[in-house]
Amino acid sequence: TLLFCVKAQYEFPTGFEFGVATASYQIEGAWNDGGKGENIWDRMTHERPDLIEDGSTGDDACRSYYKTEEDVRLLTDLGVDFYRFSISWSRILPNGHANQINQEGIDYYNELINRLIAAEITPFVTMFHWDLPQPLQEIGGWPNPFVADIFVDYANILYKEFGDRVTNWITFNEPAVVCEQGYSTAGKAPAYTQEGIGGYLCAHTLLIAHGKAYRLYYRDYFEEQRGRVGITLDSWMYMPEDEESQEDQDAAERAFQFFLGWYANPIFSEEGDYPEVMKSRIEAQSQEEGFRSSRLPSFTDEEIEIIKGSADFFGLNHYTSEYCTTVTGTEDLPRPSHSADIDAFCYQSPDWESSGSSWLKVYPEGLRKLLVWIKQRYINPEIMITENGFSDRTGTLADCRRVNYFNSYLEQVLLAIHEDEVNVTRYAAWSLMDNFEWRQGYTERFGIHYVDFDDDDKPRTPKMSAFVFKNIIQTGGIDWDYTPEAFPPCDWDN
Ligand SMILES: O=S(=O)(O)CCCN1CCN(CCO[C@@H]2O[C@H](CO)[C@@H](O)[C@H](O)[C@H]2O)CC1
């Protein structure tokens, strides 16, 4: 008899949880309603529309501030276990400081949280997803070390107001993007270009803020609330261009340490502190550039201890990967700069499928490799994939390419769980709906629900990927033959 060896169809373990993710500035709108203060994205999009691809703002976005009932219904229809959303600091503390609490802001998030709990959906709350109150930027923003304690005061308010129902906290979303793109390369608000300096100062404050917010929770709230506090780091998979080349392996390792290790080493490694390669390279580069001391600030022993072990889970945002090799001479890299400090040339294979985003190429194996790297490098932390998704610019409802992306990346998660024994416990798709994609405005769509931004009511319509994601949640497995009703089957062979 002809034996059909069907590839073992792995399933997600019982208890594995699925969710979707959003962020306050990207979906809420109501930028100056309900007592909310101004934040750096309001300011930048109003003052520098030239920095946004379609000149748009998040003033209205998806109007989720007015649509909690409708949005929670979308979540219920999907059958998600959790919903990851972020709180707008400026909606809670309009001037950024805890001396003025905006009760309307508290009420809005209470309504959202209460609706989620009534729908048996676990709220996963990100405290900071890039929307820093403008008054705090006016005292320097994250490069100002005093902002750490101001953040801890904000975290304290959140624990106090919502901690009886919210037991899963994420302090920061993607600190590397906040700092490197916010204060060094102008990729994000407040769009400063202090290359090789601003990013490192931002990260230093942010890591201390994170560590202190974690310690505060365990000192004043854990006894009563029994929740967990983590952080979300974004990482690409960095691979040596030539597996056999020591030079390329070193280049990929430097990329990992300067992007992911920058934050993961202080928090998740045995030794804590910045990675050795960062400290030594930035010290040497700074000397060469004539600085009196290293551009990388150093932690005190006490700060190293506050930050080490300051996360109960490893939140991971992953979208894509790169090959790395050495830079042929760093003379053409800006000095000083994070990229010159890394001294690696990383690029994406032209063979990988493109998306609606210039930086997002499809390489599903990268996710499995990255999960294994994290497991081996850090103390096998519990990993929650807090974002993973695909963009297009067409807005098609029959989004087969997004379905392909989710199926392919989730297959890699199954392999990491079942074959590499990586401790992955959750997966959130980015995003519940099309939304304001930062400097790309509304030109890039990541949603599993389509949003018609030309309609004042911003109506949501489920795409094929919403139905496919619902099916994955219900069945606990990947089914390439599943075609939701009213959609034509996807042509997987071309
Ligand atoms: O300098 S530019 O702006 O010309 C191009 C840089 C583009 N960045 C690359 C890193 N990416 C990290 C993922 O960012 C995450 O993924 C989602 C999709 O991007 C975002 O919507 C989420 O808010 C964010 O958490 C954010 C976009």
Side-chain angles (χ1 to χ4, degrees):
T1 53
L2 188 63
L3 284 180
F4 286 94
C5 56
V6 178
K7 189 172 85 177
Q9 279 301 325
Y10 290 123
E11 302 228 321
F12 288 93
T14 7
F16 187 90
E17 295 200 341
F18 287 96
V20 287
T22 60
S24 43
Y25 187 78
Q26 295 181 271
I27 66 164
E28 286 181 3
W31 81 278
N32 64 347
D33 197 0
K36 174 181 163 293
E38 183 188 22
N39 63 46
I40 59 174
W41 278 92
D42 298 318
R43 176 62 62 92
M44 189 178 95
T45 56
H46 295 159
E47 290 206 339
R48 298 294 310 276
D50 55 300
L51 290 180
I52 311 299
E53 187 168 334
D54 55 2
S56 64
T57 74
D59 287 1
D60 229 10
C62 307
R63 293 176 65 82
S64 284
Y65 180 74
Y66 306 105
K67 291 169 169 284
T68 39
E69 185 174 6
E70 181 178 346
D71 286 353
V72 172
R73 196 175 332 109
L74 297 184
L75 295 164
T76 314
D77 291 349
L78 280 172
V80 292
D81 303 298
F82 68 93
Y83 176 43
R84 177 184 175 230
F85 63 95
S86 80
I87 289 182
S88 168
W89 187 340
S90 306
R91 214 175 270 293
I92 305 291
L93 305 175
N95 69 22
H97 300 273
N99 71 319
Q100 272 178 17
I101 296 177
N102 173 33
Q103 191 53 45
E104 284 187 85
I106 302 282
D107 296 346
Y108 163 63
Y109 292 108
N110 270 328
E111 186 198 343
L112 174 57
I113 291 163
N114 294 340
R115 286 184 186 279
L116 288 170
I117 289 172
E120 295 179 355
I121 296 168
T122 306
F124 254 75
V125 177
T126 307
M127 299 178 186
F128 184 86
H129 197 126
W130 306 1
D131 41 5
L132 183 75
Q134 180 61 30
L136 299 184
Q137 184 50 48
E138 286 169 15
I139 55 171
W142 291 110
N144 174 352
F146 289 97
V147 171
D149 289 332
I150 297 169
F151 174 81
V152 174
D153 290 343
Y154 163 56
N156 184 46
I157 301 282
L158 301 187
Y159 295 147
K160 189 184 301 163
E161 293 291 339
F162 308 115
D164 57 318
R165 288 150 293 145
V166 175
T167 52
N168 289 281
W169 295 100
I170 292 165
T171 53
F172 291 96
N173 179 75
E174 303 192 354
V177 176
V178 172
C179 293
E180 195 44 30
Q181 295 195 33
Y183 294 91
S184 293
T185 62
K188 300 283 179 299
Y192 286 149
T193 54
Q194 296 305 310
E195 290 246 37
I197 294 173
Y200 295 134
L201 297 182
C202 165
H204 204 67
T205 307
L206 193 147
L207 278 160
I208 291 169
H210 163 80
K212 285 184 171 180
Y214 181 87
R215 300 302 166 193
L216 170 71
Y217 187 80
Y218 278 89
R219 193 191 70 195
D220 295 356
Y221 293 94
F222 178 73
E223 197 53 47
E224 182 83 16
Q225 299 178 352
R226 299 276 159 191
R228 301 191 299 172
V229 180
I231 189 169
T232 278
L233 306 179
D234 79 299
S235 187
W236 306 32
M237 176 62 202
Y238 300 99
M239 302 169 289
E241 178 183 77
D242 171 1
E243 289 276 343
E244 307 304 317
S245 147
Q246 187 58 51
E247 267 201 339
D248 289 358
Q249 286 171 35
D250 294 347
E253 175 69 13
R254 284 198 303 277
F256 255 127
Q257 293 306 336
F258 271 81
F259 279 107
L260 180 59
W262 189 4
Y263 300 90
N265 213 68
I267 296 171
F268 294 102
S269 74
E270 298 270 357
E271 68 277 8
D273 199 3
Y274 291 122
E276 274 312 317
V277 68
M278 280 189 81
K279 292 194 284 187
S280 54
R281 288 189 57 82
I282 300 170
E283 169 75 49
Q285 296 266 102
S286 302
Q287 251 175 12
E288 244 180 61
E289 292 148 357
F291 287 93
R292 267 182 25 75
S293 57
S294 174
R295 286 177 281 106
L296 182 70
S298 40
F299 292 120
T300 63
D301 291 345
E302 189 205 3
E303 286 164 344
I304 289 175
E305 290 313 309
I306 287 171
I307 300 167
K308 195 189 329 177
S310 64
D312 299 321
F313 57 84
F314 191 117
L316 174 67
N317 286 0
H318 176 74
Y319 292 87
T320 188
S321 299
E322 289 186 312
Y323 288 109
C324 297
T325 183
T326 44
V327 186
T328 42
T330 53
E331 56 281 350
D332 53 354
L333 291 174
R335 299 294 295 268
S337 70
H338 183 252
S339 44
D341 292 338
I342 302 173
D343 188 21
F345 171 69
C346 300
Y347 63 94
Q348 295 174 305
S349 165
D351 303 339
W352 297 343
E353 180 192 351
S354 292
S355 68
S357 308
S358 60
W359 53 275
L360 204 173
K361 308 293 183 209
V362 182
Y363 180 64
E365 300 82 344
L367 177 50
R368 178 183 180 186
K369 291 176 181 177
L370 174 60
L371 289 168
V372 170
W373 192 91
I374 291 169
K375 170 187 173 178
Q376 290 171 345
R377 178 57 56 110
Y378 304 112
I379 33 195
N380 188 23
E382 176 183 349
I383 301 173
M384 299 186 189
I385 297 171
T386 42
E387 284 179 34
N388 176 245
F390 179 84
S391 61
D392 61 44
R393 289 178 171 244
T394 62
T396 177
L397 294 182
D399 56 343
C400 289
R401 295 178 66 198
R402 179 169 292 105
V403 171
N404 170 62
Y405 183 95
F406 283 132
N407 284 352
S408 313
Y409 274 74
L410 282 167
E411 276 183 344
Q412 294 298 318
V413 174
L414 284 170
L415 291 171
I417 292 171
H418 292 286
E419 301 195 1
D420 311 315
E421 292 167 350
V422 181
N423 180 14
V424 191
T425 59
R426 284 180 174 77
Y427 174 93
W430 181 270
S431 176
L432 169 62
M433 65 185 91
D434 295 334
N435 57 52
F436 181 78
E437 179 50 31
W438 309 113
R439 285 191 52 184
Q440 285 69 45
Y442 299 102
T443 60
E444 292 176 14
R445 294 172 176 268
F446 276 89
I448 60 176
H449 287 84
Y450 175 82
V451 177
D452 179 358
F453 294 107
D454 296 331
D455 180 328
D456 284 349
D457 190 41
K458 316 292 177 187
R460 291 91 154 107
T461 309
K463 301 177 188 174
M464 175 193 263
S465 53
F467 296 103
V468 171
F469 196 55
K470 178 185 175 98
N471 189 54
I472 292 168
I473 297 170
Q474 276 177 340
T475 61
I478 311 292
D479 178 358
W480 286 91
D481 300 328
Y482 171 72
T483 303
E485 277 167 45
F487 284 96
C490 293
D491 174 6
W492 298 128
D493 302 328
N494 294 310

